[in-house]
Amino acid sequence: VAERRAKPCTDLQVKSVLRLPWVARRRLESSINEVYLWHGSSPAAVKSIATGGFNLNLSGSNTGAMFGRGVYLAECSSKADEYSRDESDGYFSGCFAMLLCRVVLGEAQVLQEADYDADSRVGPACDFDATVGDREAAVNTYREFVVPCQDQVYPEYAILYERLFKTGPRLRGVTLDPAPEEEDDEEEVSDLAPPRRSPRREGRGAT
């Protein structure tokens, strides 16, 4: 991408980068829109991606490909969480997963509506290197980032986590019942027996 872009690419103001401290941001090549983005997945898929990279043949197999073929990423972890899946059994039962990836977006086409052929306009021989689906501007949800080849994405960090639900914390695939309500302090105090006092010897001559 850097070889194809003689001029700095259009700054996309990616939120996940803007929130980084300066020490971390300076590692990224801003002229080609090198950024950190999230990718929601499952523990098994994270392990596969870590060892073999992204498989573009599986693009859209889980949630569809609104902006064409490619690797789908998000600047907000809450968006990536929508695509994250847990495992029903095994050691990681009840755990969800996502990747924090280092991504080169280059010059991106920005779309507000679905375009299932968007990938036909991105790549080495095209005007654009990636696609930004700006649903935040269109319907006030999230932006999605799509890159056409796995060489533009490096899965740098893997995160395993559990979700907390209103009915209680989900722990290793088990939903716990809420803790019973405590009794009023006045009732608890009334049920307590008076404290025992140890015998005291009074007076200098006591035996």
Side-chain angles (χ1 to χ4, degrees):
V1 174
E3 294 176 355
R4 297 198 304 270
R5 301 299 171 189
K7 298 180 179 179
C9 299
T10 305
D11 188 358
L12 297 170
Q13 294 290 298
V14 177
K15 295 175 184 177
S16 49
V17 174
L18 295 176
R19 294 171 181 172
L20 290 174
W22 171 245
V23 174
R25 291 175 61 183
R26 64 184 297 182
R27 299 172 52 205
L28 303 173
E29 185 55 63
S30 59
S31 64
I32 55 173
N33 278 325
E34 186 181 18
V35 298
Y36 278 109
L37 295 171
W38 300 96
H39 178 80
S41 192
S42 67
V46 161
K47 182 178 179 180
S48 176
I49 293 170
T51 55
F54 287 90
N55 185 353
L56 293 181
N57 293 326
L58 299 177
S59 173
S61 60
N62 184 36
T63 56
M66 190 175 184
F67 299 101
R69 185 170 178 266
V71 180
Y72 279 69
L73 305 119
E75 61 189 338
C76 299
S77 59
S78 52
K79 176 61 177 177
D81 179 66
E82 294 180 3
Y83 299 138
S84 182
R85 306 182 305 279
D86 64 346
E87 295 186 358
S88 58
D89 54 18
Y91 182 78
F92 295 110
S93 174
C95 288
F96 295 77
M98 64 176 68
L99 292 164
L100 183 59
C101 303
R102 195 164 176 170
V103 187
V104 174
L105 296 172
E107 190 64 36
Q109 61 174 339
V110 180
L111 308 173
Q112 293 190 13
E113 301 298 331
D115 185 345
Y116 299 99
D117 296 320
D119 59 290
S120 64
R121 298 186 296 276
V122 297
C126 302
D127 293 334
F128 302 104
D129 306 300
T131 299
V132 178
D134 195 353
R135 301 299 288 167
E136 182 178 48
V139 293
N140 197 31
T141 55
Y142 296 96
R143 292 197 298 179
E144 292 191 75
F145 301 78
V146 190
V147 294
C149 61
Q150 64 175 355
D151 292 341
Q152 291 176 241
V153 188
Y154 176 69
E156 193 161 309
Y157 300 97
I159 296 94
L160 299 177
Y161 63 99
E162 296 173 342
R163 290 174 179 167
L164 298 180
F165 298 92
K166 292 182 179 179
T167 55
R170 180 165 183 167
L171 180 63
R172 309 300 291 168
V174 178
T175 301
L176 302 179
D177 293 330
E181 296 182 0
E182 296 183 356
E183 299 179 357
D184 294 338
D185 291 343
E186 293 182 359
E187 295 179 359
E188 292 180 358
V189 172
S190 63
D191 293 336
L192 293 176
R196 294 182 60 186
R197 295 183 179 181
S198 58
R200 289 182 55 187
R201 295 180 177 180
E202 298 182 358
R204 186 179 292 270
T207 58

